[in-house]
Every structure is written in C-alpha cells, then in structure tokens.
Amino acid sequence: MTTTKQAPATPKTGTRHLALAIVSLAMGGFGIGTTEFTMMGLLKEVEQGLNISTPEAGHLISAYALGVVIGAPVLAAVGAKLPRKYLALGLMLFFSVANLTSFIAPDYGSMLVSRFAAGLPHGAFFGVAAVIAASLVAPTRRGWAISMVMAGLTIANVVGVPFGTWLGQTYGWRLLFLLVGVIGIITLVMLWQFVPFQKPHADASFRRELGALKRLQVWLALLIGVVGFGGFFATYTYIAHTMTSVTGIPSVWLPLVVALYGLGMVAGNIVGGRIADKSVMGTIYWVLPGIAVALVVYALAVHWPWSALVMVFVVGGAGAMLVPALQTRLLDASPDAPSLASSLNHAALNVANALGAFLGGLVIAWGWGYVAPALVGAGLALLGLGVAAVSGLVESRRPLAP
C-alpha cells in the first residue's frame, strides 16, 4: 500500500479536525516563509548590526538556501522510518532552535552557521507536511490539501514578511529570529495536538527513500521546477529596483508592491491546487506558458505605475499556481518514497531561486536594464514547458506505476 492510496482520514477525524491538522502544517510554512523572505528586506540592518559588507550579508541568504538544498533529501531520507507526525515535530523543533540561535549569534561566523542550520529542515518539513496532508484526504483532493499547506508560505509574504520587516527596522533586526522562533513553538503545540498519528510504512527505510532518485520522472519533475520556476525568481529578486528605477514608484510604496505579489501568490496557490486535482500534467502544460506570457506583459507594463501594480499581482499568482502541481507530480512519480520526493521539490525551488537571481543579475550587468530579467524569466518558463513535454512523452511510453 502506498501513501497516496491510503484511505482518507476525514471520515474518522471529521472536517473540523482535518482543517485544524492542515492549519497546523500551514503554520509551520508561515514561520519558514517569514524567516526566508524577511531577511532580504533587512539586509541593510544586518550589515550595520554585524559590521559586514553587502556581499557578506548576501551570503547569509545563500547559506540558508544551501541548507535547504542539503537538508531536504538528507533529513527526509534519515527520518523515513519515523512516524510522519514525529518527523514533522522533530523538524519544526530543529527549525525553532536554529532561529533562536540566530537571535543570540554574537558575530558573523556564528550567524552564518545558524542560518545554514535554519535552512536544513525547510524542505524536509514541507515534504513531510505535503505527504501528511495528502494522506488525510481522498486522492482526488490531494492537490487542494497540498495547496492549503503551501498557503502558509504564501500568506507569509502578505502578513509575516511585512510585519517582520517593520519589526526588524523599528526595534532591531534580531527580533525577526525571536518572532520566528515563537511561531515555531506555537506550531509544535498545534502539530502535537491536531495532526493524527500514522504508523510509518512497514518497508520504510533510508534505502527505500533514496530509491526515488533512480526514477527519471522524479528528475524531470525537479528540472521543471528548477527551470520553469527560475523565471519567477529572476523577476522577484529585482522587483524593488524595477519598480523604483523603471516604473518610478517611490520607495515608500515598496511594501505595497511586495504585498500585492504575496496576494497574487495566495490566489495562485489556491487556484493551482484546485486545477491540479483535475489534471496534474494538464496544469503544468497550461501554467508554464501562462507564466511566460505574464512576464512578457509585465516587461511592457512596468513603464506605468498602475499597470505595473496589476502585473505584479498577476506574476505572483501565475508563479504560485505551478507549485501544487509539481508537488503532486513528485508524489505520483515516487509513491513508495513520498517524503524524499516531496522534499526535493523545495530543494529544486531554491536552486531555481539561485538560477533566476544569477541570470537576472547577469543581463542587468550586461547593461540590458531592469526589465530584462522578466524576459529571461519568460524564456526559462518556456524551457520548463519543453522539459514537461519530454516528461509527458516518456510517460506515454512508460506510464507511472499505480
């Protein structure tokens, strides 16, 4: 019996308990999203507080991303034999302690280590949370359940990130990590109280989880995320520069811009979960060209404030629509190693973050202007569509195991 075919827990636990379980998992995503994205808005304060240069401050973000990429497969595989509830609890405890360590880190070296440590449980937590959520509902509602867990990450961009940025700028940047640590502790209590216990699969093992890496469709799904989602980050990384230098929006409007992007992500995540339940690959086939079109229109629209603000919302929504389908695709591609496959999605998205930021910065360095990253992103989305087409062609000849 595979994780994705388990009988849904809803009839036993009731709708209210199902909702509380998913909210508990989403709360963890809220804390993770808050610490990941708020750091970008507090870099100047971090530089001054630690007496470091801008590149050194940027390395703190890179250290977190590296922790995500390394921790996602390793911790998911190591925790394969644990009951998923206990694994989620352990990962959130790790995350909370690491962020509280960042709060008291006395110098740059210790801060670098603590940010790396905080990134380690990121992908593994989202992976096991997605598997738990999918197991609590009927197979036809897995996309919805996964999108609800991911809603914590998207809502963080609307609520957690603006609040964390204000808190850090007003009362001290270290308070961000104290805030996230408290959110983590609240999540621990909710996970313990509301997430049902499930015995681990009888055959679960480190080797069994690593077996997911032998499947071509797992690698193709990850490549879709790395390439196709890279365009989202190519645009998002330089959005502040684009809005102030190209659109002419005053810097005091930037919180509104970020909030609109976050609202778009929330809406896109919800819609993406719904349509993924109808057709996972169909969603990927339609969303990737949609991202490309949205980014091209964005490149044209950023020359006028109101059209720019509209397209900021649209681009955020288009990108977020892809995530539930990719997460579900990985569960389908590796039903006997769901935790590792699902965790790898978040490692892939962090690679996409690095790729998009690098390519966007490259075209800016070449003198092509701040609009160019969006056009690079459109190209990446179309390349991702090409990878998806290859994945579909392979599946037509060799269907996924039921």
Side-chain angles (χ1 to χ4, degrees):
M1 182 176 69
T2 68
T3 302
T4 56
K5 298 297 182 182
Q6 289 179 5
T10 308
K12 295 180 181 180
T13 60
T15 302
R16 179 174 177 271
H17 289 112
L18 169 64
L20 289 172
I22 290 180
V23 168
S24 302
L25 296 167
M27 179 63 76
F30 180 81
I32 289 173
T34 299
T35 195
E36 180 180 19
F37 293 111
T38 305
M39 272 293 287
M40 299 175 186
L42 291 176
L43 277 190
K44 189 172 293 184
E45 286 75 15
V46 174
E47 291 170 26
Q48 296 170 353
L50 294 176
N51 194 26
I52 56 177
S53 66
T54 299
E56 286 175 322
H59 292 161
L60 294 174
I61 295 176
S62 300
Y64 184 92
L66 181 62
V68 177
V69 174
I70 294 174
V74 172
L75 294 181
V78 168
K81 295 183 71 68
L82 290 174
R84 292 193 182 108
K85 176 175 180 175
Y86 294 166
L87 178 57
L89 284 165
L91 292 168
M92 187 47 55
L93 178 61
F94 192 131
F95 174 79
S96 302
V97 171
N99 275 280
L100 291 173
T101 301
S102 295
F103 174 65
I104 61 174
D107 52 36
Y108 177 65
S110 57
M111 179 64 74
L112 201 64
V113 172
S114 71
R115 295 322 296 153
F116 172 78
L120 289 172
H122 174 132
F125 178 83
F126 274 120
V128 72
V131 174
I132 292 172
S135 71
L136 295 177
V137 299
T140 55
R141 300 188 70 205
R142 288 179 304 147
W144 170 82
I146 291 171
S147 72
M148 290 299 99
V149 171
M150 292 302 299
L153 183 64
T154 56
I155 291 173
N157 282 277
V158 181
V159 180
V161 174
F163 178 75
T165 302
W166 170 82
L167 182 69
Q169 290 176 339
T170 306
Y171 297 105
W173 58 273
R174 288 183 182 273
L175 287 178
L176 164 66
F177 306 115
L178 180 61
L179 170 67
V180 173
V182 171
I183 293 172
I185 293 170
I186 294 172
T187 302
L188 282 169
V189 174
M190 294 179 67
L191 291 173
W192 180 262
Q193 185 70 27
F194 301 121
V195 172
F197 175 84
Q198 297 173 334
K199 292 182 179 180
H201 194 287
D203 299 325
S205 67
F206 182 85
R207 179 176 295 181
R208 180 186 177 96
E209 288 290 326
L210 289 181
L213 300 179
K214 298 178 181 179
R215 294 183 170 88
L216 176 61
Q217 289 290 11
V218 169
W219 287 105
L220 288 173
L222 293 173
L223 188 57
I224 293 170
V226 169
V227 179
F229 212 73
F232 177 87
F233 286 112
T235 306
Y236 187 60
T237 302
Y238 303 100
I239 192 169
H241 295 81
T242 305
M243 291 294 113
T244 55
S245 300
V246 179
T247 311
I249 288 178
S251 58
V252 294
W253 281 32
L254 289 179
L256 172 63
V257 173
V258 174
L260 281 173
Y261 215 92
L263 286 171
M265 290 176 66
V266 172
N269 180 64
I270 294 172
V271 173
R274 295 290 186 182
I275 60 178
D277 281 334
K278 299 183 183 298
S279 173
V280 173
M281 288 304 294
T283 299
I284 294 172
Y285 290 147
W286 281 101
V287 169
L288 282 169
I291 292 174
V293 171
L295 289 173
V296 171
V297 175
Y298 169 87
L300 298 172
V302 292
H303 296 281
W304 302 276
W306 294 109
S307 58
L309 293 176
V310 170
M311 289 311 301
V312 161
F313 176 87
V314 172
V315 170
M321 286 175 67
L322 186 62
V323 178
L326 287 176
Q327 197 85 56
T328 307
R329 178 66 173 175
L330 283 164
L331 289 176
D332 289 340
S334 190
D336 56 345
S339 295
L340 176 60
S342 187
S343 298
L344 284 171
N345 189 40
H346 297 276
L349 295 183
N350 272 269
V351 175
N353 190 348
L355 175 66
F358 171 75
L359 293 178
L362 194 62
V363 294
I364 291 172
W366 287 346
W368 294 4
Y370 289 117
V371 172
L375 300 178
V376 170
L380 288 173
L382 293 178
L383 284 175
L385 179 62
V387 177
V390 171
S391 178
L393 180 62
V394 171
E395 185 178 358
S396 68
R397 298 179 178 179
R398 192 176 3 167
L400 298 177

